Amino acid sequence: MEKLYEGKAKIVYPGPEAGTYRVYYKDDATAFNAQKRGTIAGKGVVNNRISAQLFRYLEAHGVPTHFLRELSEREMLVRQVEIVPLEVIVRNRTAGTFAKRYGVEEGRPLARALVEFSLKNDALGDPLIYDEAALALGLLSEGELARIRELALRVNEALKAFFLERGLELIDFKLEFGRLPDGTIVLADEISPDTMRLWEVGTGEKMDKDRFRRDLGGVEEAYQEVLRRVVGGAG
Ligand code: 5GP
């Protein structure tokens, strides 16, 4: 089947029905704007299953998504959307590029949840972008921006509670949104340990892609453990 698009972690194919795509999750892993490359064995299966479970959970909590159903271990069926070219990052504690940018230690709680935008552009390294610049560039409308912010914060509240019940703290994450043909904004892309920071409650152990980025070891084990807790339920 002809690929429509191949990204760093996923391949998109035409779906079996009009208006759908088939998304295949790969084991390939990249970091630091693809300067670091590798594979995480079984990651495609883990991320497909975690994303599917979280999309279902979010739909039940008032967040419309592109997810339709799982097709196989590594594939899901999604609705075709036009991706808004922004990475929407939500942060609860300082970490990663935010800690570096402002010269603060990682793990400091933020006084309020923060929604940050980056321009989706690999050649430029996904630069941070102001709301005003995104609007001036015509990347989205003011109404869409307000809706995306509202949905991002709703996702944060829902996922924080979901993971806390499973002994994990949601530190930060990246979302992407898309437009359905009628203009409705829906959550798209994936939600997985590739796109979130999850720290073990109590020990602060990293249970996400930072284990790969920072060569901490135990990468596969951490992904499997997150999957186990996501599908295994609370407790
Ligand atoms: P940071 O800006 O600190 O690097 O990332 C903040 C959060 O968003 C982290 O959970 C990180 O995994 C996610 N994130 C930011 N940019 C990207 C990206 O280009 N790809 C992926 N997979 N996740 C990202």
Side-chain angles (χ1 to χ4, degrees), residues 136-158:
L137 286 169
L139 304 182
L140 76 180
S141 71
E142 237 168 285
E144 288 174 331
L145 183 67
R147 179 66 173 155
I148 285 174
R149 188 187 298 281
E150 177 197 353
L151 288 175
L153 290 170
R154 193 178 299 173
V155 169
N156 187 42
E157 289 309 312

Side-chain angles (χ1 to χ4, degrees), residues 87 89 91 95-98 126 172-174 194-197 209 213:
E87 298 201 336
I89 293 165
R91 300 181 188 273
T97 61
F98 183 88
D126 298 338
D172 59 26
F173 56 95
K174 185 264 295 183
D194 272 12
T195 64
M196 295 181 276
R197 286 195 172 92
K209 195 170 159 188
R213 293 187 187 102

